[in-house]
Amino acid sequence: MQRRAVFNNKFLPYLFVLPQLVITLVFFIWPAYKALNMSFFMEDAFGLSREFIGLQNFATLFADDYYLHSLRTTLVFSLLTMLMSMGVSLLMAVMADSVIKGSTIYKTFIIWPYAVAPPLAGILWLFMFHPGCGVIAYALQGMGYEWNHLLNGNQAMALVVIAAAWKQISYNFLFFLAGLQAIPHSLVEAAAIDGAGPSRRFWTIIFPLLSPTTFFLMVVNVIYAFFDTFGIIHAVTQGGPAKATETLIYKVFNDGFIGLDFGGSAAQSVILMIIVCTLTVLQFRYVERRVNY
Amino acid sequence: MVERKGLRKIFSHLVLIFGVALVVTPIYVALVASTHDASDLLGRLPLWFGSHGSDNYSAILGTRLQEMGIASVGRQMFNSLVMAMGITVGKIIISLMAAYAIVFFRFPFRNLCFWMIFLTLMLPVEVRIVPTYEVVANLNMLDSYWGLTIPLIASATATFLFRQFFMTIPEELADAARIDGAGPVRFFFDVVLPLSRTNIAALFVILFIYGWNQYLWPLLVTTDENMYTVVMGRQRLVAVVDTEPEWNLIMATAVLAMLPPVAVVVGMQRLFVKGLVETEK
């Protein structure tokens, strides 16, 4: 930022930032302000009258068992998705780092899911777990396990977690692999000469050196699970059965567009904005992202 | 390494092959299902490709869906393409311009501009859907390509990436250009733009996937079947055929819907990885 002005022009720089600023103001700042504003009012469904009620919308939310349930659901969903996706990716990245032949081919296959839209990822897994015609559901039933995610909330949660984790494997894999490749080989070799076995080497040298990547990915995965998985849930379970998979984003959509409770939905939006802000600041401030690249 | 690695190598390959199988299976199953007749899929799924592939694909690309009251998948693919390209090109252009102004000029409110752009990072469309929808409705942009693209165009990440890159361009280059009589606009087109080529290409790959895969936003702003994008049109297809799930058609649509972004990622793997690691989100 400490670079001196290269060009002097009174008017040109404004022209250059104008398009971005206009779009930011109209579609980002203004709606965010509106959400904040709306969250303090109670409005009827037709928008004919509104009444200032202060923090009432927020108080209602936090007294609402459905909202608290949704908050809990989101946390469980994010945690499971993060653990599952990062675990599988780390294992595969460690293996891909140790082989020389064929690692490009493996990589080519592993990056596919990144390109698949969340609702499509959802539908692919839904098809495999479909109680009527799914391969995996069929296999599970063959083993005597009754699978029906349309009735069983835990199974529905498992299904959306699997689809969400699958989609995120590519991203985690690429970052873990980049992190692993940046670890100096000499360190690992020295430990091997001192007699440390593969698993000891991993846990005492590689894993600690990888921690900046791991922390960065944890934040990114939580953001992903919170905000980018709407499509999966909408396509697979619609928040059901009995709200077992209703995450916060899905609830904002559902209350705002289906339930037409604008004040409540706006209050939920404001809470979500606070969550994103916290996570983004965390990502920029406290997570040393650039280490190890 | 000091130890023998033969056995561990084999083990690594086995784990990787298992992992790849896990990753590819859903896509394989979709491909297989899209080549069978609907009745073959009830009960037990066949493991190999069937002979109804061309029937299924011509059904969804032809008039079959129109009879069910949905725009054909061809039309939806076109809409998706327009939306993805609009978002991608739009984002790249406005980010290039904004980053250029912020790096190469000193002007009042420069920091304010920068922070306002930074704010957009914290406001993904998902968290402010109701008010943004209202704005778009008031501007009469529902059911139009403008409504599908413009609200998603502002992007802090792209602006940051370009800003970061512009700051590595040596000042001497700009000084030399100025002494030679080149103005800011000339310098932008003759020096900065050619230097940014790789960055633009890498960003293009990431943004194209982002644009193509949008779901919630098209779901809100389009009610006209002819404006549906293929990623969200599929949801409508499931709803229509709910009584008698024609999974072969659903899967054929899914295959077509993921074809362009998958082709981009696999075909431009190197640029994709660069873009992903550099935008870091």
Side-chain angles (χ1 to χ4, degrees):
Chain A
M1 292 294 277
Q2 299 311 317
R3 133 188 221 134
R4 71 197 145 84
V6 175
F7 294 108
N8 281 313
N9 196 310
K10 286 262 172 305
F11 151 83
L12 216 52
Y14 293 105
L15 196 72
F16 272 65
V17 285
L18 196 67
Q20 176 136 25
L21 281 190
V22 168
I23 290 173
T24 305
L25 273 176
V26 175
F27 296 106
F28 286 76
I29 312 268
W30 174 246
Y33 164 76
K34 283 274 289 210
L36 198 63
N37 187 300
M38 260 182 349
S39 68
F40 294 116
F41 286 87
M42 186 151 81
E43 193 168 349
D44 65 275
F46 306 101
L48 297 175
S49 68
R50 58 201 311 235
E51 185 191 344
F52 182 78
I53 52 169
L55 292 172
Q56 192 63 51
N57 278 325
F58 293 95
T60 316
L61 269 188
F62 283 106
D64 180 5
D65 282 342
Y66 285 130
Y67 189 73
L68 295 176
H69 177 257
S70 170
L71 193 64
R72 214 164 29 238
T73 306
T74 313
L75 290 177
V76 170
F77 171 73
S78 309
L79 208 67
L80 288 176
T81 305
M82 181 181 87
L83 286 177
M84 189 167 172
S85 186
M86 285 179 68
V88 174
S89 315
L90 180 59
L91 179 68
M92 296 215 286
V94 169
M95 296 303 157
D97 189 41
S98 72
V99 303
I100 297 146
K101 278 188 198 130
S103 77
T104 329
I105 299 171
Y106 292 128
K107 205 160 131 183
T108 307
F109 281 110
I110 295 171
I111 61 176
W112 279 26
Y114 183 86
V116 177
L120 297 177
I123 221 78
L124 294 181
W125 285 96
L126 174 65
F127 180 56
M128 298 212 296
F129 278 98
H130 196 281
C133 59
V135 208
I136 298 178
Y138 186 84
L140 285 173
Q141 263 141 16
M143 290 189 294
Y145 185 79
E146 207 51 51
W147 177 275
N148 192 340
H149 65 265
L150 300 172
L151 299 173
N152 185 322
N154 289 334
Q155 292 178 354
M157 176 59 94
L159 180 54
V160 287
V161 165
I162 290 172
W166 175 76
K167 204 191 129 38
Q168 195 66 357
I169 282 179
S170 321
Y171 190 94
N172 293 337
F173 174 81
L174 287 173
F175 275 83
F176 271 135
L177 191 63
L180 284 169
Q181 282 168 349
I183 292 176
H185 230 76
S186 51
L187 279 179
V188 185
E189 227 156 289
I193 291 168
D194 286 348
S199 89
R200 177 106 191 258
R201 288 202 297 267
F202 178 77
W203 289 112
T204 56
I205 298 173
I206 298 177
F207 193 69
L209 282 173
L210 205 58
S211 55
T213 310
T214 312
F215 279 125
F216 164 70
L217 285 177
M218 278 167 74
V219 177
V220 170
N221 276 277
V222 169
I223 295 179
Y224 161 80
F226 262 67
F227 304 105
D228 294 338
T229 50
F230 170 83
I232 295 176
I233 292 177
H234 190 247
V236 178
T237 62
Q238 310 251 313
K243 298 188 184 296
T245 53
E246 191 178 66
T247 58
L248 292 173
I249 288 286
Y250 194 82
K251 197 167 162 56
V252 172
F253 166 79
N254 210 29
D255 291 358
F257 280 88
I258 317 286
L260 298 179
D261 169 16
F262 294 125
S265 175
Q268 292 182 36
S269 290
V270 170
I271 293 171
L272 282 173
M273 283 182 217
I274 294 168
I275 297 175
V276 203
C277 286
T278 319
L279 287 171
T280 313
V281 169
L282 206 70
Q283 183 187 344
F284 270 79
R285 266 284 143 89
Y286 302 106
V287 181
E288 277 287 70
R289 297 167 305 147
R290 280 166 217 285
V291 184
N292 286 354
Y293 289 126
Chain B
M1 272 313 151
V2 288
E3 48 195 42
R4 275 184 38 226
K5 292 185 73 184
L7 228 76
R8 283 192 58 215
K9 275 254 155 71
I10 295 170
F11 175 71
S12 299
H13 280 289
L14 281 178
V15 171
L16 281 168
I17 288 168
F18 182 75
V20 166
L22 196 77
V23 165
V24 175
T25 303
I27 297 171
Y28 174 75
V29 169
L31 276 172
V32 167
S34 73
T35 61
H36 282 275
D37 194 59
S39 56
D40 294 348
L41 300 178
L42 296 173
R44 213 180 153 182
L45 183 85
L47 294 174
W48 193 245
F49 297 95
S51 55
H52 291 269
S54 55
D55 297 348
N56 291 339
Y57 285 98
S58 57
I60 56 168
L61 287 169
T63 53
R64 172 84 187 277
L65 288 186
Q66 274 148 325
E67 286 158 18
M68 285 153 61
I70 312 175
S72 88
V73 171
R75 170 79 204 195
Q76 295 179 2
M77 298 270 287
F78 176 76
N79 291 339
S80 283
L81 185 70
V82 172
M83 179 176 73
M85 290 305 285
I87 291 175
T88 308
V89 174
K91 268 192 187 218
I92 289 177
I93 290 176
I94 68 165
S95 308
L96 269 172
M97 286 168 60
Y100 186 68
I102 285 172
V103 173
F104 287 97
F105 292 91
R106 285 286 163 285
F107 56 96
F109 308 116
R110 182 169 148 278
N111 270 329
L112 181 73
C113 291
F114 184 74
W115 282 104
M116 261 169 64
I117 294 167
F118 185 79
L119 264 183
T120 59
L121 206 61
M122 305 187 178
L123 304 171
V125 73
E126 282 81 2
V127 307
R128 50 184 170 83
I129 46 178
V130 175
T132 314
Y133 176 85
E134 271 184 11
V135 169
V136 172
N138 289 338
L139 292 171
N140 273 327
M141 296 206 303
L142 295 179
D143 278 324
S144 73
Y145 290 127
W146 300 115
L148 279 174
T149 50
I150 292 183
L152 300 176
I153 269 180
S155 156
T157 38
T159 314
F160 284 168
L161 179 73
F162 286 127
R163 173 178 161 266
Q164 217 68 28
F165 172 69
F166 289 168
M167 279 161 52
T168 66
I169 295 176
E171 273 177 50
E172 289 77 11
L173 217 54
D175 290 337
R178 208 177 37 188
I179 291 164
D180 287 347
V185 176
R186 180 89 192 266
F187 179 67
F188 179 73
F189 282 106
D190 285 359
V191 179
V192 173
L193 212 52
L195 283 174
S196 319
R197 247 189 342 233
T198 336
N199 281 296
I200 294 176
L203 205 57
F204 188 94
V205 175
I206 300 292
L207 292 179
F208 180 81
I209 297 165
Y210 166 85
W212 183 278
N213 288 346
Q214 282 303 314
Y215 181 68
L216 176 59
W217 189 243
L219 197 66
L220 298 180
V221 297
T222 60
T223 46
D224 177 0
E225 311 266 351
N226 285 317
M227 290 305 295
Y228 280 6
T229 65
V230 66
V231 171
M232 56 88 46
R234 171 224 53 81
Q235 172 254 347
R236 187 62 209 279
L237 189 63
V238 176
V240 166
V241 297
D242 207 24
T243 43
E244 189 189 309
E246 295 198 56
W247 282 102
N248 54 338
L249 299 188
I250 298 171
M251 286 299 140
T253 314
V255 168
L256 286 181
M258 57 191 176
L259 199 63
V262 168
V264 165
V265 162
V266 173
M268 297 190 233
Q269 194 174 335
R270 207 177 45 80
L271 279 174
F272 163 68
V273 174
K274 180 180 158 64
L276 199 66
V277 174
E278 277 180 11
T279 48
E280 288 188 345
K281 175 144 165 37

